[in-house]
Amino acid sequence: MRTTLAATAVVAALLAPTAAHADTGDAIPVLTDAKGRTLQLRGWNLADKSHRGEQALSAITEKHFRDMRAKGYNFARLLVFWDDLEPRPGHYSEDYLRKIERVLDWARKYDVKVLLDAHQDVFGPAFGSRGIPAWATRTDGLPFTPHPDDWFSEYFEPAVQRAFTHLYEDEDLQRAQARMWRVLADRFEGHPAVFGYDPINEPMGELREGEDLATAARRIEREQLTPMYNRIADAIRAVDDDNWVFVEPTPIVGEGVPTGLGRIDDPKIVYAPHFYNGVMEAGGDYDPSAGWIENYEAAVTQYPKEYKVPVVVGEWGPLNNSLPNMNRFYREAMASLGRYSSGWTGWEWCYGGGYCAVDAAGAFRTNKELTAEPYAEAVAGTVRSASYDPGAGVYRLSYDAAGRRGSRLTELSLPPGDWRVTARGGALVLRKDRTRPWIFATPNARVTVTATRG
């Protein structure tokens, strides 16, 4: 969600005061791989919203994956569009599927895991954007007024809100959306780069008369998104038992509103909220005294604790990274994400200005380098603690190694630089390359790994 100041005002006006309180319940589960290792995913969104048809995905190249991996990232959220996949009802574009596969092949080459995200902004092409096809858009003749300088406000247009209601509630559209996902999963379930599926980006819905936005969001999540995710998960599982399904709340979670999502009856669900602040999305600076990160963390951890699912934040990162408090924001945000998530994808990996992670020459833009930390991509055992001190340039990982029947190989990822890696407690450091050391541990050993820059 990339908003403007006017959209921020709309959200603020519609939200009732909401305070989130820390939950002292059980720890949030972690992501694991087929070997039972604890995973950490860190990376970026890859988006090409400008091209469609024959030119679809042409702005994403092999260079994106090569450069991301070289800076230590192992995960990408790839935007795909239903309107490109199914331009006519029941007609799925083989050409578009091949284009997706080409991108996935690049990811495989550089050992980057991929989340396929069925993206929408302001529903889809019927409203001048991308996402749900025009043929699946029903408005009941309600009005739509474009807001070219404030696109997020278009979500509150009557026609857009009604289109979401029909998508969630019309049985033929429910079936069409589920079939679309079955087609994608059937095609890519065996691709080594594919890690999971994100059924819909930043779902919204229709406010009822007298509802404030927080109440509406929780109702939409409870009554419309929960059954939608269950339908799509069932469609995916008809062809794919292995990959994860990532479920998003409405973007209102960014205001510190706990989600109303219910249980998704599937064994491999990931909660995938977005991490945006309205003021910063409008280009403003981070306000450390506002308590936004703390409030967001308290709200966003309630669902995964209740339903015992891991968390991966699907989008985050402000518009203007060079303001005075942004260095502090990135440090505090990274610390917060490390406390509760199994990873994240920032918005976005592109070469230029605005939200781009790097400039035209491929160098990090101001403060974006703070996202490139050492981390353990896969830990063969139970993590006791993991921390990074960016000032000292020291990363420490402590874990109890798996038993004799478990995997014994832990994999680290280090940003570019000169790192010294040591391991204690019955473990050896093996060098795959300069930035990806392996740790080979004795079964059941208590291992401490330290990586020191320079």
Side-chain angles (χ1 to χ4, degrees):
M1 177 178 69
R2 276 84 31 219
T3 66
T4 65
L5 187 58
T8 302
V10 170
V11 172
L14 290 170
L15 274 169
T18 304
H21 301 283
D23 188 333
T24 58
D26 295 338
I28 295 171
V30 296
L31 275 174
T32 56
D33 65 8
K35 299 176 183 178
R37 297 183 301 174
T38 300
L39 299 180
Q40 184 71 204
L41 307 174
R42 297 191 179 188
W44 296 86
N45 282 262
L46 293 177
D48 182 0
K49 299 182 182 182
S50 300
H51 299 96
R52 62 185 73 196
E54 292 184 0
Q55 297 300 313
L57 295 173
S58 60
I60 298 172
T61 68
E62 182 176 352
K63 174 181 171 63
H64 287 70
F65 292 97
R66 182 178 66 244
D67 290 354
M68 285 173 56
R69 182 78 261 191
K71 291 188 183 297
Y73 303 107
N74 68 343
F75 191 42
R77 181 173 179 256
L78 175 65
L79 277 61
V80 298
F81 297 103
W82 185 2
D83 56 298
D84 260 329
L85 176 62
E86 192 178 2
R88 302 190 306 276
H91 174 78
Y92 300 98
S93 170
E94 180 62 28
D95 182 59
Y96 190 56
L97 290 167
R98 284 195 296 267
K99 292 178 187 299
I100 295 172
E101 187 168 20
R102 178 184 62 184
V103 175
L104 293 175
D105 288 345
W106 290 330
R108 178 187 185 183
K109 179 177 179 179
Y110 294 99
D111 196 20
V112 174
K113 297 177 176 64
V114 175
L115 171 64
L116 293 176
D117 160 46
H119 208 82
Q120 67 80 32
D121 294 313
V122 194
F123 203 78
F127 307 110
S129 190
R130 303 298 309 280
I132 291 87
W135 58 260
T137 305
R138 297 169 183 167
T139 66
D140 297 338
L142 293 176
F144 171 74
T145 301
H147 300 268
D149 297 325
D150 185 12
W151 69 269
F152 189 74
S153 290
E154 294 176 353
Y155 275 114
F156 300 99
E157 286 293 311
V160 176
Q161 297 208 333
R162 185 59 52 85
F164 276 106
T165 296
H166 283 294
L167 176 68
Y168 300 145
E169 298 185 356
D170 291 7
E171 291 185 1
D172 61 328
L173 295 183
Q174 292 175 357
R175 291 192 295 269
Q177 187 184 31
R179 283 196 303 269
M180 177 272 291
W181 265 110
R182 180 166 177 165
V183 167
L184 273 176
D186 190 36
R187 179 61 173 262
F188 298 119
E189 59 87 18
H191 197 289
V194 173
F195 185 81
Y197 311 107
D198 187 339
I200 185 170
N201 175 67
E202 294 185 348
M204 291 286 279
E206 188 169 5
L207 277 69
R208 294 173 179 170
E209 186 175 355
E211 278 186 325
D212 62 74
L213 188 53
T215 301
R218 287 192 292 265
R219 173 185 54 79
I220 291 164
E221 290 159 346
R222 180 179 63 252
E223 298 179 5
Q224 294 176 321
L225 298 188
T226 299
M228 178 192 70
Y229 287 137
N230 275 297
R231 287 191 300 271
I232 294 174
D234 287 345
I236 290 171
R237 293 304 173 220
V239 294
D240 184 348
D241 290 330
D242 295 327
N243 289 312
W244 295 81
V245 176
F246 287 57
V247 298
E248 296 188 35
T250 66
I252 310 309
V253 69
E255 301 298 326
V257 179
T259 184
L261 277 176
R263 182 178 302 280
I264 314 301
D265 295 318
D266 187 273
K268 300 192 76 172
I269 293 296
V270 178
Y271 183 51
H274 292 180
F275 180 33
Y276 286 123
N277 171 266
V279 172
M280 289 192 290
E281 288 305 287
D285 202 357
Y286 173 56
D287 180 1
S289 67
W292 171 64
I293 289 179
E294 296 84 352
N295 196 44
Y296 174 88
E297 183 176 331
V300 84
T301 53
Q302 292 185 22
Y303 182 85
K305 287 179 180 179
E306 179 177 359
Y307 291 101
K308 310 303 180 188
V309 297
V311 179
V312 173
V313 170
E315 290 185 25
W316 73 286
L319 175 61
N320 190 339
N321 300 282
S322 60
L323 294 172
N325 290 330
M326 284 301 174
N327 185 277
R328 179 170 176 177
F329 164 73
Y330 273 99
R331 294 181 186 278
E332 293 183 357
M334 289 293 291
S336 176
L337 290 165
R339 284 192 289 268
Y340 65 85
S341 82
S342 286
W344 47 262
T345 46
W347 188 270
E348 66 177 303
W349 191 270
C350 53
Y351 301 85
Y355 287 95
C356 289
V358 293
D359 62 21
F364 276 121
R365 298 183 63 240
T366 304
N367 291 316
K368 293 285 191 179
E369 74 281 357
L370 297 174
T371 66
E373 294 183 346
Y375 63 100
E377 294 191 26
V379 176
T382 302
V383 177
R384 296 177 57 81
S385 64
S387 64
Y388 178 57
D389 181 342
V394 177
Y395 170 76
R396 290 186 177 87
L397 168 69
S398 173
Y399 68 97
D400 292 332
R404 294 190 179 278
R405 295 186 179 182
S407 173
R408 299 171 68 181
L409 194 65
T410 289
E411 301 181 37
L412 300 189
S413 178
L414 305 174
D418 182 17
W419 293 89
R420 179 173 179 267
V421 182
T422 60
R424 294 183 298 147
L428 296 174
V429 179
L430 308 175
R431 283 282 186 175
K432 182 179 181 182
D433 57 41
R434 292 184 64 189
T435 61
R436 300 181 67 189
W438 291 349
I439 312 300
F440 191 75
T442 302
N444 301 310
R446 177 157 293 180
V447 178
T448 300
V449 181
T450 303
T452 305
R453 184 190 292 275

